[in-house]
Amino acid sequence: SDSEHITEIITTLANKNEELHNFIETLSHLLAGVQVNSGQVVSDLEEEFDTLFSILEEAKESMTNTIKQEQARKSHELQNQLTQSTNALESAEELLEFANHALDIKDEEEFAKAAKQIKDRVTMAPAFRLTMKPKATDNMTHLMVDFSQERQLLQGLRFLPVPRAPEIEVQDCMVVDNAVTIVWRMPVEDSKIDHYILEYRKTNHEGLPRVKDERCWELVDNVKNTEYMLTGLKFDSKFMNFRVRACNKAAAGDYSDPVTLETRAFNFGFDSSSSHLNLKVEECSVEWDPQGGKGLDSKVKGKENKGSAHLTNLKNMTRSGTPSPKRGSNTRSPAPRGGRDRFTGESYTVLGDTSIDSRQHYWEVKALKDCKSYSVGVAYKNLGKFDQLGKTNTTWCIHVNNWLQNSFAAKHNNKAKSLDMPVPERIGVYCDLDGGQLSFYNAESKQLLHVFKTKFTQPVVPAFMVWCGGLSLSTGLQVPSAVRSFQKAENGLAGSNSSLNKQGNRVSEKQMDSRGPMPRINKTVVLALLIATSSIFLLFQLYYYRQYVSKVASRIGFGREFHNHLVKRFLSLAHKFSLPVFLADKASLSLLSQDTVLLKDSQLKEPHCTFLCTNRDFITFGLLGNLWKYDVRICAAEERGLELLEIRGKDPRLVSMDDLMGSEIPLHLLFRFNSRLVHVVVLYERSGNYLWHGPLRLKASMDRTFAPFRKLDFGRYAGAYDRPELILTTLDGLDVRIPKNFSRFLKENSNSHFLELYLLLLCRYVFPRFSLCWTELLELKVRVPCETLDYVMANYGPDWNVPVKAWDWKSSPPNVQENGVWPIKEWDDVIQVF
């Protein structure tokens, strides 16, 4: 119709107007930027020239001083020679005059005396002792300069070439697991680029960035590669803008064309207006507040408090001052209209402030320490004010109870299914409203806890119950790739868990009529049916046996190829991130010989998986920890379909008297592809010039079915190895590093058990400062304190030479002092029994 057509035109014009407004703002912003940046560039240019002028002035002054110093030196030397020569000339003239007068002496004795005097004076005359060669010349050409090259350089001064703008490869960019990977390239290769600058900001607008956006650009400087991963983000906006610029040593180029990536995630908070009065609600946390109803009228209308109409005074609460979630009664009167009376009675509930009406969403919840009871799940909005999570057909949850007795169960429609697994520290909730599925996960390991399968008939909201404790909420999270992969692989597998929806409704009519008379059965017909069934079963067994025998070899081959495929994926990942790994698998190394290793030179390619495919479901590699950069994102294994389990532990290299436990470091990495496993043992360099790996200890929250942990070659105990020399060889067509002396490495594995030396001192001893001297004890050269007597007296007292019948190491020494008690929670790490 015409009205619809005009509406479309109006919408198009409105969108175009908004686009033009945004473009005008961009142009205005650029125009202002040109003015500001031009002034800045002129200022920078003047500063550079001023620097150049100052350098030339300094060089001129320095060289002028050199000329002046050379002038002064030569003038001084020549002036000295001139003065000495003048004095010598005067002396010579005086002597000449004296000699002329002597010629006139007639007396022989006087003449002889004068002659001798003249001879002596001539011998000592300065004129005969002076050199007649000038000590300096007037030549100053050695201080001349030639600035022709420099002049050409200065005349050739030009603006430095500015790097071109990079191009962001949108098709290679990824947004997954609340991390964004940005990939870009240069339109023309530029070897002078020193680094890149990445800028990003969150926005709720699709398309090109807007100048007047609500958030400022954030900067990541000094990026050396052409890709970068932003991690640990909270996606509280629908999109993110990105732009990159290249920099050389002196200039930064233009920004790339900005791109906008969608980061849509489920972001919500607690709805304080929907909570029970005994709950203290903030945006991302909720805590039990037993005094929440204090001061209000304790009378309750009977119609509004069915099942708990009796009144309970605060004095009748439990000893902790907290009523039981089953026995506690409502202690407040109904809130006035518009107040917070959404839930009352024992429904200690609070809802999320955003409903879910489509798509898949994910959020995580963590219970505060010592929380007695809590539930996490979803509910329809029409939840009654006295309804409790899991006790109605419109709520689904998992419930944790740590009060009186511990329980962990999935609840729906007043039915519960016990969950036989440890309660994780953080619980992940995955809701697929369109697919009719609600799943709960261990947020750390992504282990599935429980699945509800149902058909949601209306939107749901996140729902929470907490009593005597608190919960913290993490939202703005994307569906983790591990959860998404699990959902695809296991779609429909956990249907038995949905039995809570239908339990109790399967009573058959035959069971209802089982009290009636049993009808007569024809025995001949039954016997014939049994014989026919048995014959068919035997024929099927024979057929299956023949098929099995004929195909068992091919199945073994398929398993080997499958294992080889896993190793290829892992080595590809190691190559991409430069992980310094080498083959450490006992079964694989035992198949090698020296001739096999030397075949690398001939580039032998094995037609079948021989060395890397053993009869085990796992293979082991070593990783040199001192060559491994911890910021490498090994979680990129998920891109290659590999599941990753990282085992961390204490770092014994950081042992000190203040912190005997050190800090946590990666010890073992487990990469799984279906049922096959790559076990990576991280080997660290210790101060004794050897390699050490830690034990493989699983935390209570970890999935113990992830791998055959008891069968692994490494990890039952900590181990120590001599540093192996590694060589690169080809095994089964793959380039693999192995220990050069692999036979020795295998021998070390059998007796590599390493015990960490921890000193569990409950007492400490104080000694005076001493130095060490050598002595001989039992024909051994050993160290002893040089101040021996002071040392002995400090530990045994002045009567150290008097025999003692009873000696207690922790009380008898005079220099012993109490040093405290080791914390019980650290005993498992310090006290080890083998």
Side-chain angles (χ1 to χ4, degrees):
S1 64
D2 293 340
S3 60
E4 294 177 351
H5 184 64
I6 293 176
T7 301
E8 292 179 359
I9 294 176
I10 292 174
T11 303
T12 303
L13 290 175
N15 293 335
K16 180 58 67 175
N17 287 345
E18 183 180 2
E19 184 178 352
L20 287 172
H21 278 296
N22 188 33
F23 185 61
I24 290 172
E25 290 177 357
T26 301
L27 292 177
S28 301
H29 180 74
L30 292 176
L31 183 59
V34 167
Q35 302 297 328
V36 174
N37 293 337
S38 298
Q40 182 63 43
V41 169
V42 171
S43 176
D44 292 342
L45 181 64
E46 291 176 349
E47 183 178 352
E48 289 293 330
F49 270 97
D50 288 342
T51 303
L52 186 59
F53 293 155
S54 64
I55 292 175
L56 291 174
E57 288 291 340
E58 290 176 2
K60 177 183 176 182
E61 183 178 357
S62 176
M63 299 175 80
T64 302
N65 289 335
T66 302
I67 294 174
K68 291 180 178 180
Q69 291 173 4
E70 182 71 0
Q71 176 190 359
R73 183 186 69 82
K74 287 189 173 186
S75 299
H76 178 70
E77 291 182 350
L78 293 174
Q79 185 65 46
N80 287 340
Q81 278 190 299
L82 179 60
T83 302
Q84 293 174 0
S85 299
T86 302
N87 294 335
L89 178 60
E90 292 176 356
S91 176
E93 290 178 346
E94 180 184 356
L95 181 60
L96 178 61
E97 183 179 359
F98 179 72
N100 290 327
H101 287 298
L103 291 175
D104 297 332
I105 299 175
K106 302 300 183 179
D107 189 329
E108 293 184 358
E109 184 178 355
E110 290 292 332
F111 181 79
K113 184 177 179 181
K116 183 178 183 304
Q117 188 177 5
I118 292 171
K119 181 180 179 181
D120 291 340
R121 291 181 63 181
V122 167
T123 304
M124 299 299 295
F128 296 96
R129 289 184 288 111
L130 287 175
T131 176
M132 294 302 174
K133 183 179 180 180
K135 292 184 178 181
T137 68
D138 60 351
N139 185 11
M140 299 291 285
T141 57
H142 63 288
L143 296 178
M144 297 295 291
V145 295
D146 179 11
F147 286 145
S148 58
Q149 293 183 353
E150 288 76 5
R151 189 178 297 108
Q152 291 178 0
L153 290 176
L154 291 174
Q155 291 173 349
L157 284 179
R158 298 291 186 274
F159 290 108
L160 283 175
V162 178
R164 299 182 65 176
E167 297 177 355
I168 297 179
E169 301 283 358
V170 180
Q171 67 277 8
D172 294 332
C173 297
M174 291 189 304
V175 182
V176 63
D177 292 335
N178 282 72
V180 181
T181 301
I182 303 297
V183 182
W184 61 89
R185 67 176 182 86
M186 294 299 297
V188 178
E189 185 175 354
D190 188 349
S191 60
K192 295 184 179 180
I193 291 178
D194 179 68
H195 64 278
Y196 299 91
I197 297 176
L198 171 67
E199 292 189 358
Y200 65 95
R201 67 179 179 185
K202 298 178 180 180
T203 179
N204 287 314
H205 302 292
E206 191 174 5
L208 294 176
R210 303 188 176 195
V211 175
K212 294 183 178 180
D213 209 330
E214 63 275 9
R215 307 196 187 189
C216 298
W217 290 95
E218 297 186 55
L219 182 143
V220 180
D221 199 357
N222 202 31
V223 179
K224 296 297 185 180
N225 300 319
T226 56
E227 68 174 75
Y228 190 82
M229 177 182 286
L230 289 168
T231 59
L233 299 172
K234 179 179 180 180
F235 289 158
D236 50 3
S237 62
K238 296 180 181 180
F239 303 94
M240 287 185 70
N241 304 139
F242 296 91
R243 62 185 185 185
V244 187
R245 65 194 308 190
C247 305
N248 55 30
K249 292 294 184 180
D254 291 334
Y255 286 105
S256 65
D257 290 337
V259 299
T260 301
L261 300 180
E262 183 178 7
T263 61
R264 196 184 304 274
F266 189 42
N267 191 60
F268 69 95
F270 289 115
D271 183 7
S272 60
S273 64
S274 72
S275 70
H276 192 283
L277 189 62
N278 286 118
L279 298 182
K280 180 182 178 182
V281 180
E282 297 181 359
E283 183 180 1
C284 294
S285 66
V286 55
E287 289 190 49
W288 164 262
D289 182 10
Q291 304 299 322
K294 189 173 182 180
L296 297 177
D297 186 6
S298 61
K299 297 181 180 181
V300 183
K301 297 180 180 180
K303 293 182 180 181
E304 294 184 357
N305 197 15
K306 296 179 180 178
S308 60
H310 61 281
L311 301 179
T312 303
N313 193 283
L314 289 175
K315 296 181 180 180
N316 297 327
M317 292 184 179
T318 59
R319 294 182 181 180
S320 63
T322 307
S324 161
K326 294 184 178 180
R327 299 178 182 178
S329 302
N330 188 16
T331 60
R332 68 181 182 94
S333 60
R337 185 179 299 273
R340 206 177 75 180
D341 60 348
R342 176 66 176 84
F343 294 103
T344 187
E346 297 177 357
S347 182
Y348 305 113
T349 304
V350 61
L351 302 178
D353 59 8
T354 306
S355 62
I356 301 173
D357 54 9
S358 64
R359 303 178 60 176
Q360 297 83 35
H361 303 284
Y362 179 84
W363 62 94
E364 294 179 355
V365 179
K366 180 179 180 180
L368 302 183
K369 188 177 181 180
D370 299 329
C371 185
K372 292 293 187 294
S373 179
Y374 62 93
S375 298
V376 178
V378 300
Y380 289 155
K381 283 187 174 181
N382 59 0
L383 188 64
K385 63 167 53 180
F386 298 104
D387 292 341
Q388 300 180 31
L389 297 186
K391 293 189 177 183
T392 69
N393 62 352
T394 61
T395 58
W396 299 260
C397 71
I398 57 175
H399 176 73
V400 179
N401 182 26
N402 297 319
W403 185 70
L404 297 181
Q405 59 181 3
N406 296 333
S407 65
F408 187 29
K411 291 186 175 184
H412 170 66
N413 202 18
N414 207 23
K415 299 176 180 64
K417 179 179 180 180
S418 179
L419 303 179
D420 187 15
M421 60 189 69
V423 179
E425 291 186 5
R426 289 192 298 121
I427 296 175
V429 185
Y430 170 78
C431 181
D432 181 4
L433 196 77
D434 300 329
Q437 183 168 312
L438 177 68
S439 305
F440 299 89
Y441 291 86
N442 181 326
E444 295 289 343
S445 65
K446 299 304 182 288
Q447 174 193 8
L448 179 66
L449 304 176
H450 187 76
V451 176
F452 287 107
K453 281 188 171 291
T454 187
K455 184 177 181 181
F456 296 109
T457 59
Q458 56 181 287
V460 298
V461 290
F464 311 86
M465 184 283 290
V466 60
W467 173 76
C468 196
L471 300 176
S472 63
L473 179 64
S474 297
T475 66
L477 304 177
Q478 290 184 316
V479 178
S481 56
V483 172
R484 196 179 297 276
S485 300
F486 183 86
Q487 293 298 327
K488 291 180 180 179
E490 303 294 332
N491 189 21
L493 187 62
S496 60
N497 292 336
S498 64
S499 60
L500 292 176
N501 297 326
K502 303 175 182 178
Q503 187 174 324
N505 298 324
R506 298 181 177 179
V507 182
S508 71
E509 295 180 359
K510 291 184 179 181
Q511 291 174 339
M512 297 291 291
D513 298 335
S514 61
R515 298 180 181 179
M518 178 70 70
R520 185 179 298 276
I521 300 176
N522 191 323
K523 296 181 180 180
T524 303
V525 174
V526 173
L527 182 60
L529 290 174
L530 289 175
I531 293 174
T533 305
S534 300
S535 301
I536 294 173
F537 180 73
L538 289 174
L539 290 174
F540 175 78
Q541 280 189 319
L542 289 174
Y543 175 80
Y544 177 80
Y545 178 76
R546 292 182 61 185
Q547 295 294 323
Y548 175 81
V549 171
S550 64
K551 295 181 179 180
V552 65
S554 63
R555 289 182 181 178
I556 294 176
F558 174 77
R560 286 177 172 267
E561 293 302 324
F562 193 82
H563 192 88
N564 194 28
H565 185 60
L566 167 62
V567 176
K568 286 182 179 179
R569 289 193 178 193
F570 169 73
L571 291 179
S572 173
L573 178 72
H575 176 71
K576 178 177 180 181
F577 292 100
S578 301
L579 297 179
V581 298
F582 65 92
L583 183 65
D585 190 83
K586 290 174 58 177
S588 296
L589 292 177
S590 62
L591 298 175
L592 296 178
S593 64
Q594 200 63 32
D595 294 336
T596 306
V597 176
L598 293 177
L599 288 177
K600 168 66 179 174
D601 298 333
S602 61
Q603 296 296 320
L604 175 65
K605 302 297 182 181
E606 292 290 342
H608 301 291
C609 189
T610 303
F611 300 103
L612 301 180
C613 300
T614 62
N615 58 354
R616 305 190 298 180
D617 292 335
F618 63 89
I619 188 170
T620 308
F621 284 85
L623 172 60
L624 300 178
N626 61 315
L627 302 179
W628 176 33
K629 296 181 180 179
Y630 291 110
D631 59 350
V632 170
R633 296 295 299 172
I634 57 176
C635 62
E638 297 175 355
E639 301 174 14
R640 289 169 167 76
L642 302 178
E643 300 177 75
L644 171 63
L645 177 62
E646 182 180 7
I647 310 297
R648 302 177 70 90
K650 303 296 182 181
D651 188 349
R653 300 171 299 172
L654 302 181
V655 170
S656 66
M657 293 306 295
D658 297 326
D659 182 14
L660 289 176
M661 305 312 299
S663 59
E664 284 200 342
I665 55 175
L667 298 179
H668 298 265
L669 306 174
L670 301 171
F671 298 88
R672 186 172 70 175
F673 184 66
N674 286 355
S675 60
R676 303 283 175 162
L677 189 80
V678 170
H679 177 202
V680 179
V681 184
V682 186
L683 295 159
Y684 293 94
E685 182 178 350
R686 297 290 291 264
S687 58
N689 196 26
Y690 62 92
L691 298 180
W692 168 90
H693 72 77
L696 198 160
R697 294 183 178 176
L698 297 179
K699 297 182 180 179
S701 60
M702 290 185 176
D703 183 7
R704 298 179 180 272
T705 64
F706 188 90
F709 294 103
R710 294 183 177 274
K711 297 180 181 180
L712 300 180
D713 295 336
F714 298 80
R716 185 175 183 183
Y717 307 107
Y721 293 82
D722 291 337
R723 185 192 309 278
E725 181 182 354
L726 302 179
I727 59 174
L728 183 64
T729 187
T730 301
L731 300 177
D732 301 334
L734 299 174
D735 290 339
V736 185
R737 282 183 171 81
I738 65 171
K740 183 177 182 180
N741 193 342
F742 49 83
S743 300
R744 179 182 177 183
F745 184 81
L746 289 173
K747 289 181 181 179
E748 282 189 292
N749 182 264
S750 59
N751 54 3
S752 63
H753 188 176
F754 181 88
L755 290 179
E756 200 70 53
L757 180 59
Y758 292 105
L759 300 179
L760 280 74
L761 299 180
L762 298 179
C763 302
R764 60 189 176 114
Y765 301 88
V766 181
F767 292 91
R769 185 179 299 276
F770 61 90
S771 56
L772 292 176
C773 294
W774 288 106
T775 189
E776 182 176 342
L777 176 65
L778 300 177
E779 300 182 354
L780 295 176
K781 182 183 177 184
V782 296
R783 289 279 196 181
V784 297
C786 297
E787 297 80 10
T788 309
L789 184 59
D790 295 338
Y791 184 93
V792 173
M793 291 183 63
N795 198 36
Y796 298 95
D799 300 327
W800 60 271
N801 55 346
V802 179
V804 177
K805 295 183 179 180
W807 176 268
D808 182 22
W809 65 273
K810 60 183 179 296
S811 60
S812 297
N815 63 335
V816 68
Q817 298 179 12
E818 184 178 357
N819 201 33
V821 179
W822 204 283
I824 296 178
K825 64 180 181 180
E826 298 180 4
W827 283 12
D828 291 339
D829 294 301
V830 179
I831 305 175
Q832 302 181 23
V833 180
F834 298 93

